[in-house]
Amino acid sequence: MKWYAIFVDSGKEEVVQKYLKLYFNEESLKSLVPKRLVPEKKSGIVYNVLKNIFPGYVLIKTEMTNDMFHKIKKIPINFRLVNNRSYYSQDEGVYYSSIDEKEIIPILQLMGNGEVVDYSKVYLENSKVIVESGPLKGLEGIIKKVDKHKKRAKIFLSFMGVEKTIDVGIEILSKPS
């Protein structure tokens, strides 16, 4: 089974995921809407806010056959399978492509067993970021910048061949524990 991306109207990710869960069982198709927990300050109060990592996308893992492709296309929501012209459905004249293994592994690693990238505990040593615990542990190489004031880290993820910069929430420790 491979991972694929479905492009949907932004804000409709949860609706599409509910339809997928309604139409397919977990063994034949697994769907995922990756989210991140980030701190946001409003009126002097810091809130933990859930945001989509890839707005407008639902990730699915399935054995993509012509039959499966057509079942997915029958879902009554406006969406399309993301493509870079590597697979072709003869009946529909439509292209679609799977997400490269080296792109999906860091995304799945960040989310652990859930759908949310939680806070990582980090400390800074000689302008180097060291991750003590959390989803970024072992992925220090993708951290490009740390904003101490906003308590966020900017990370680079490659998704469908495009480099994306994403903010994730962090907890900054004063020194290693």
Side-chain angles (χ1 to χ4, degrees):
M1 294 203 322
K2 291 185 177 181
W3 285 95
Y4 300 87
I6 296 176
F7 186 67
V8 301
D9 293 335
S10 198
K12 301 271 194 231
E13 300 90 352
E14 302 296 325
V15 175
V16 170
Q17 188 177 32
K18 281 181 183 169
Y19 270 110
L20 289 168
K21 287 182 177 180
L22 190 68
Y23 278 64
F24 301 96
N25 63 21
E26 192 81 15
E27 290 82 46
S28 64
L29 186 140
K30 179 182 166 127
S31 63
L32 192 63
V33 179
K35 294 181 178 32
R36 60 201 162 101
L37 195 60
V38 290
E40 274 190 6
K41 199 175 206 176
K42 286 186 183 160
S43 306
I45 301 168
V46 177
Y47 297 94
N48 294 321
V49 181
L50 264 182
K51 293 189 171 204
N52 288 344
I53 292 178
F54 306 112
Y57 290 94
V58 177
L59 306 183
I60 60 169
K61 184 178 186 178
T62 189
E63 196 63 52
M64 189 65 78
T65 60
N66 250 0
D67 188 44
M68 179 59 87
F69 178 81
H70 293 296
K71 281 182 185 173
I72 293 169
K73 292 300 279 179
K74 284 183 181 157
I75 294 174
I77 285 277
N78 187 24
F79 69 87
R80 63 185 169 82
L81 279 155
V82 177
N83 72 70
N84 62 10
R85 300 202 176 277
S86 54
Y87 297 104
Y88 181 71
S89 169
Q90 294 173 332
D91 303 338
E92 297 265 326
V94 177
Y95 290 93
Y96 59 91
S97 57
S98 62
I99 300 172
D100 197 307
E101 225 19 65
K102 65 180 180 281
E103 290 182 348
I104 197 72
I105 288 172
I107 295 167
L108 295 174
Q109 192 175 340
L110 278 170
M111 291 183 306
N113 292 331
E115 285 191 19
V116 178
V117 177
D118 209 345
Y119 292 129
S120 291
K121 293 183 180 186
V122 304
Y123 63 93
L124 305 169
E125 189 177 272
N126 302 329
S127 71
K128 185 179 177 197
V129 180
I130 295 151
V131 180
E132 186 74 22
S133 65
L136 290 173
K137 184 140 180 84
L139 294 172
E140 288 87 352
I142 67 171
I143 300 171
K144 297 303 171 200
K145 187 179 178 190
V146 170
D147 186 332
K148 289 188 214 175
H149 183 69
K150 289 186 176 179
K151 295 184 177 157
R152 293 183 179 194
K154 287 198 180 301
I155 61 171
F156 274 172
L157 285 178
S158 186
F159 181 67
M160 300 304 286
V162 178
E163 283 278 319
K164 294 194 177 278
T165 305
I166 297 154
D167 280 358
V168 292
I170 57 171
E171 187 181 322
I172 299 174
L173 304 172
S174 54
K175 60 182 181 208
S177 30

